[in-house]
Amino acid sequence: MIKKLSVLCLSLLVMSACVSSSITKLSETSGSLTYSQASQLDPDLITNINTLAFYLQDDGIDQNQFISSLSIYLALAMTSHGTDGTSAQQFKALLNPQNTDETTWLEAIKALQGNLNAMEKVKISLSNSLWIRDSFASEVKADFLKRNQDYFGAMIASVDFDQPSAVDDINGWVKKNTNKLIDKVIDSIDPSTIMFLINTIYFKGNWLSPFEVNETHDAVFHGSTEKTVKFMSQIGSFKYVENEAYQAILMPYEGNATGMLIVLGKNETNPIRNDADFKAVLDAMTNASVKITMPKVDIATKLNLIEPLKALGLVDPFISGTADFSRLADAELYISKIFHKARLKIDEKGTEAAAVTVVIIDETSLPVADVTMTIDRPFQVFIIDQDNQLILFSGSIQDVQSAE
């Protein structure tokens, strides 16, 4: 059976907010949290983020899959604390199944972001932003905005979504905070849209043991199609494990605190199916002298998340008239779209990766009619058999409440 390359890579991000003069900033926060590393991170939070990665792994498709479950998790978390009722319960079941107190949970999320943003030797950046339609900004509850500032460092802006520059402002912020790896997330803004909640994640790391460029050569990658690509090669000491299901290697980046785990399945592309499998691979590794030959990679992916998230039990927030966003605003709101874009580049020097998750919240609109008819004066009325055009009753109504 054809062997395929399975890359499991944690990739993250932050940069300063990119705003134009056409928007009004509603927060002093820049979009990211930066402070010294925490001594210990919440293990339940890490498990929940890792588990989401495997929930969203689709073993039934023969195409590239590359996501940042961390980015998706953070965007959902930023959105979730604006919900109440069943909507909030469904968010909690997905993101916080341990039912940790909300403030404690948000504090753990804050610590995780600050920890990653403070990492040395590699660049890990996480950024968050809220973009609010200017005519709706006064409706958004202050507590919701404050939580997104305090726990996510979110840049919050009021924007005239009817101006063409609004699309450029949002795309420009994403482009800046992904170091130009992702340059566009939206083409237009729907008149019903009142808010964008966006997380970006950026990672850049140099190999602890880089590949020699003069060792790079052409060879065939046996994927969905047979394709000749550039392969890199080296012999070095790496953490490694092999069994009847796969070979796996951990390739460290400078600083040795981060690395890329590559799992090459012997009979299937994705032999690692859950967080327990993932941790078992790491625990089983030992140092070995390995000749590693791998392709250079440059891919981009996009994933629409509504249907996958519904399959995981997050349903109500996507249904107009059912979603409860009463902790965000006293209005009928729902998530109209949520999508994720990612990019991965691997070469002789190291790895560069980025991802963005965009949550779009719309206000439920009253049906738009072609014409209006208000019956507020005397009128003629017929009750009829339509098939035969037969009048059953007829009259003219002068008073809508009268006795004989």
Side-chain angles (χ1 to χ4, degrees):
M1 186 172 182
I2 293 175
K3 292 184 179 180
K4 298 180 182 178
L5 183 67
S6 177
V7 178
L8 184 59
C9 176
L10 289 177
S11 47
L12 319 157
L13 84 163
V14 99
M15 278 180 145
S16 60
C18 170
V19 296
S20 76
S21 58
S22 64
I23 74 174
T24 302
K25 285 193 67 176
L26 302 180
S27 69
E28 295 300 321
T29 40
S30 65
S32 63
L33 294 165
T34 53
Y35 54 86
S36 60
Q37 289 183 286
S39 59
Q40 186 174 2
L41 299 178
D42 182 355
D44 286 338
L45 178 62
I46 292 172
T47 296
N48 295 340
I49 294 169
N50 290 354
T51 298
L52 183 61
F54 294 105
Y55 279 161
L56 296 173
Q57 178 176 286
D58 188 345
D59 297 322
I61 62 173
D62 191 21
Q63 63 186 42
N64 289 331
Q65 297 180 67
F66 184 70
I67 65 169
S68 167
S69 59
L70 175 58
S71 174
I72 296 169
Y73 189 97
L74 291 175
L76 290 172
M78 279 199 298
T79 308
S80 71
H81 65 84
T83 62
D84 207 349
T86 305
S87 295
Q89 292 170 14
Q90 292 176 1
F91 266 116
K92 181 174 285 188
L94 178 63
L95 302 178
N96 179 19
Q98 296 83 9
N99 200 29
T100 304
D101 168 75
E102 183 179 78
T103 300
T104 303
W105 176 63
L106 291 172
E107 287 285 0
I109 290 173
K110 178 179 180 180
L112 174 66
Q113 294 175 89
N115 187 285
L116 292 170
N117 285 340
M119 191 165 288
E120 299 177 348
K121 301 297 184 180
V122 297
K123 183 172 184 59
I124 298 179
S125 308
L126 293 159
S127 295
N128 302 297
S129 63
L130 275 69
W131 306 78
I132 307 168
R133 183 179 289 276
D134 57 352
S135 59
F136 192 83
S138 62
E139 304 292 324
V140 181
K141 294 186 176 181
D143 285 350
F144 175 76
L145 297 179
K146 188 174 189 304
R147 286 190 295 272
N148 275 309
Q149 291 180 69
D150 291 348
Y151 299 113
F152 297 88
M155 188 283 293
I156 302 173
S158 168
V159 187
D160 183 354
F161 285 172
D162 295 328
Q163 294 296 320
S165 60
V167 171
D168 295 334
D169 288 331
I170 293 171
N171 286 334
W173 186 89
V174 171
K175 184 176 181 178
K176 179 178 179 64
N177 286 285
T178 59
N179 199 30
K180 302 180 181 180
L181 288 188
I182 300 172
D183 59 7
K184 179 185 288 189
V185 289
I186 59 170
D187 294 308
S188 61
I189 300 176
D190 190 275
S192 297
T193 296
I194 59 94
M195 184 180 294
F196 294 86
L197 298 99
I198 303 176
N199 169 272
T200 55
I201 182 169
Y202 176 75
F203 173 89
K204 184 174 177 61
N206 293 325
W207 302 121
L208 184 62
S209 176
F211 292 86
E212 294 291 340
V213 175
N214 58 12
E215 295 291 332
T216 300
H217 59 279
D218 290 340
V220 176
F221 184 78
H222 306 283
S224 54
T225 60
E226 303 280 305
K227 184 178 292 186
T228 299
V229 299
K230 296 293 184 183
F231 274 76
M232 309 173 293
S233 184
Q234 67 167 294
I235 298 175
S237 178
F238 299 97
K239 288 186 177 181
Y240 176 83
V241 64
E242 182 173 2
N243 55 34
E244 66 281 356
Y246 56 77
Q247 293 175 277
I249 187 170
L250 181 62
M251 302 181 62
Y253 298 106
E254 288 181 348
N256 217 25
T258 57
M260 175 178 284
L261 174 67
I262 300 177
V263 181
L264 187 65
K266 294 184 176 180
N267 298 303
E268 57 184 329
T269 303
N270 298 322
I272 309 305
R273 301 295 182 88
N274 53 53
D275 187 49
D277 288 349
F278 166 67
K279 289 174 180 174
V281 175
L282 295 176
D283 290 343
M285 287 184 149
T286 57
N287 290 326
S289 177
V290 182
K291 180 180 180 181
I292 174 73
T293 301
M294 64 179 291
K296 296 178 68 171
V297 175
D298 188 349
I299 64 169
T301 62
K302 182 176 180 179
L303 178 63
N304 292 315
L305 287 166
I306 288 183
E307 292 307 316
L309 291 173
K310 282 184 176 180
L312 297 175
L314 188 65
V315 177
D316 286 11
F318 302 113
I319 303 175
S320 174
T322 300
D324 183 349
F325 278 91
S326 55
R327 296 179 68 204
L328 189 160
D330 292 324
E332 293 291 328
L333 307 176
Y334 69 103
I335 299 173
S336 62
K337 294 179 183 177
I338 175 169
F339 59 89
H340 182 76
K341 298 181 75 172
R343 184 86 183 274
L344 171 66
K345 299 173 72 175
I346 305 172
D347 62 18
E348 293 89 350
K349 293 181 179 179
T351 303
E352 189 176 21
V356 58
T357 306
V358 180
V359 179
I360 301 178
I361 295 184
D362 284 11
E363 183 172 19
T364 300
S365 303
L366 294 174
V368 178
D370 295 326
V371 296
T372 61
M373 180 177 175
T374 303
I375 303 170
D376 59 357
R377 61 182 186 274
F379 58 94
Q380 191 176 20
V381 62
F382 301 88
I383 299 176
I384 66 173
D385 171 0
Q386 293 188 78
D387 289 342
N388 297 297
Q389 296 185 343
L390 170 66
I391 297 173
L392 303 178
F393 298 86
S394 65
S396 60
I397 308 300
Q398 303 289 330
D399 184 352
V400 296
Q401 293 181 340
S402 67
E404 62 180 16

